Amino acid sequence: MRTIFTTEALRPLVARLELGTTLPVVALIAAGAALSSMRGLWSTAIGLELLATSFWLWARRASDAREQLARWSWMRRPAAALWLAAGCHAAMAGIVVGEAAPAARA
């Protein structure tokens, strides 16, 4: 059985986004900026992910793609940190300090 990774599953979508225009990249930047300015870890994480994706798509189209991909690869770090923070926040919300776990109470 073959495992499908996220990048393989998204490859057709990325191929469709490469229209030769900058419209998809500009749309991702606008959506990313709007989501990043909202309150909440989840919306901010999705917004930064969209910003990082837009710069990745832009860098892939550049004439010096290899150099540009290396230049903009740092944008994934803040997005990954926000995903980790959102996951930790969601996990900590389920922990009640000083009480038994919900399964132990039943």
Side-chain angles (χ1 to χ4, degrees):
M1 183 174 197
R2 185 171 166 247
T3 303
I4 297 177
F5 294 101
T6 306
T7 53
E8 290 178 12
L10 292 176
R11 194 169 287 149
L13 175 65
V14 171
R16 270 189 267 138
L17 286 176
E18 295 184 32
L19 303 173
T21 66
T22 58
L23 182 63
V25 174
V26 171
L28 285 175
I29 289 173
L35 284 170
S36 295
S37 65
M38 296 174 71
R39 290 185 59 126
L41 285 173
W42 293 104
S43 61
T44 306
I46 292 170
L48 279 181
E49 193 72 43
L50 289 176
L51 285 172
T53 302
S54 64
F55 277 92
W56 178 76
L57 286 171
W58 171 78
R60 285 190 60 209
R61 291 187 199 159
S63 60
D64 55 345
R66 183 176 295 263
E67 180 182 327
Q68 294 301 323
L69 284 170
R71 175 179 287 169
W72 294 106
S73 65
W74 67 269
M75 289 197 68
R76 288 282 305 123
R77 291 184 196 124
L82 273 172
W83 284 120
L84 180 62
C88 288
H89 186 269
M92 293 301 290
I95 297 175
V96 179
V97 177
E99 292 187 20
R105 283 188 259 163

